[in-house]
Amino acid sequence: MLLGFSIVLVITGIGLLAAALLPRATTALIQQGLTPAIYYVTNPLLMVVLVAEIDLGALVGVYAPVALVTAVVAGGCYALGSRLVLRRTAGQTAVGAMASSYVNAGNIGLPIAIYAVGGSAPAVSVLVTQLLLIAPVYLTVFGWCSRQAGSSQPRLGRTVLRSVANPVTVATAAGAVLALVDWVPPEVIWTPMDMLGRASIPLLLFVFGLSLASQRPFRDRVLVPDIAWGSFVKLILMPVAAWLLGHHAWGLQGMELFGVVAMAALPTAQNVFLFSSQFRLPNLLVRDIVFTSAVLSLPVILAVALLLGP
């Protein structure tokens, strides 16, 4: 388990070191080149390979329901604190709620699930639940908040469609079809796909390390209470909710329980920043919660591993 976390930390650290030693223009070119390659090629191939080999019954029957209910609890708790205590607007509350409950299951969740939990099912279930259920709901709320504020925004149907019909979702569906029919392509095709797909994880962690070097958080001091509340919900309340639900409601134990709690402790996905920017909603709060949760999530997940790891 410690080896798995060290792999994540070391590759991310290599990205940070590269950003510190290389010229800024060079690191920008690396990010510009690797990001679309990961998004359009390696990550979709990885999802096809992983989902095709996964137990769909375990994914739908255990991990996905816990992930969905945990996200609802975390988002609801943040919204209550934001509206009743901090007295924030509906738009700022909505983006903060999504930032507090929408986890980075792709970039960080997959390597942690594979190396620390021992399988990709926890991360894949969260990814599918977020893409197909949670994101469309939040985008609908974002559209309503944007219209209330009198801002122009992209058509809601088109935005929701783009959030669902992306390469990762399409690849996940393709992998699910292969799993349902219990068929794997010939090895001469499957092995190169597997090799290229599994290159996605180290590349994702390396690019993530590069991106951390360019973060400049906490520019707006007024948002510090919101950032603190959002980070607390994301990194403390959400994993605790996942443990309570997984252990007491679903009766999970061992690696299954560790998997759902570790996925709940993941940092906020950067997609939330993109979504809030699309609808012209306050996004500085999202950016700072993304940064704070990214820095603090690995120690939190390590603590979860020490407490729950069998």
Side-chain angles (χ1 to χ4, degrees):
M1 199 174 298
L2 290 174
L3 175 62
F5 282 106
S6 68
I7 290 171
V8 173
L9 289 171
V10 169
I11 299 179
T12 303
I14 292 173
L16 277 167
L17 182 63
L21 296 179
L22 297 175
R24 185 174 299 180
T26 301
T27 58
L29 287 174
I30 293 174
Q31 286 183 269
Q32 291 172 7
L34 287 180
T35 300
I38 295 169
Y39 182 79
Y40 288 107
V41 181
T42 63
N43 219 22
L45 286 175
L46 177 65
M47 296 307 298
V48 171
V49 172
L50 293 180
V51 177
E53 299 173 349
I54 208 169
D55 182 2
L56 293 180
L59 187 152
V60 176
V62 177
Y63 293 115
V66 178
L68 178 60
V69 178
T70 301
V72 171
V73 170
C77 288
Y78 178 88
L80 289 174
S82 178
R83 292 291 282 177
L84 300 180
V85 178
L86 300 176
R87 304 291 183 180
R88 302 308 187 198
T89 64
Q92 193 161 345
T93 298
V95 297
M98 189 175 188
S100 302
S101 59
Y102 200 89
V103 305
N104 195 336
N107 294 27
I108 308 298
L110 278 174
I112 287 178
I114 291 172
Y115 293 127
V117 182
S120 61
V124 173
S125 64
V126 173
L127 198 61
V128 172
T129 303
Q130 290 186 156
L131 290 171
L132 299 183
L133 298 176
I134 298 174
V137 171
Y138 272 115
L139 291 175
T140 303
V141 174
F142 285 7
W144 179 84
C145 293
S146 185
R147 286 192 295 272
Q148 291 294 109
S151 300
S152 60
Q153 76 280 339
R155 292 181 179 178
L156 182 61
R158 180 179 298 178
T159 304
V160 173
L161 181 62
R162 286 181 179 178
S163 72
V164 175
N166 60 73
V168 171
T169 308
V170 173
T172 301
V177 171
L178 292 177
L180 285 172
V181 301
D182 194 21
W183 179 77
V184 176
E187 187 174 354
V188 67
I189 298 175
W190 193 247
T191 299
M193 288 175 59
D194 181 76
M195 291 174 62
L196 193 55
R198 295 192 184 274
S200 181
I201 292 176
L203 291 177
L204 282 169
L205 294 173
F206 177 71
V207 172
F208 178 66
L210 288 176
S211 66
L212 286 180
S214 62
Q215 297 288 336
R216 297 293 183 271
F218 315 127
R219 291 181 181 177
D220 190 348
R221 300 297 180 183
V222 177
L223 295 177
V224 169
D226 306 72
I227 299 166
W229 175 233
S231 300
F232 174 81
V233 171
K234 177 76 233 30
L235 298 174
I236 304 298
L237 193 150
M238 192 171 177
V240 170
W243 177 79
L244 290 172
L245 290 166
H247 183 63
H248 294 287
W250 272 269
L252 301 181
Q253 294 180 351
M255 274 298 182
E256 285 187 334
L257 181 61
F258 170 55
V260 298
V261 177
M263 294 303 102
L266 290 170
T268 303
Q270 294 181 348
N271 287 349
V272 184
F273 183 83
L274 298 176
F275 293 151
S276 62
S277 300
Q278 275 188 307
F279 285 91
R280 296 178 176 85
L281 294 175
N283 54 28
L284 288 179
L285 171 62
V286 176
R287 185 202 61 189
D288 288 344
I289 293 178
V290 169
F291 174 80
T292 305
S293 62
V295 172
L296 299 178
S297 64
L298 288 178
V300 172
I301 296 174
L302 181 58
V304 170
L306 295 175
L307 292 172
L308 299 181

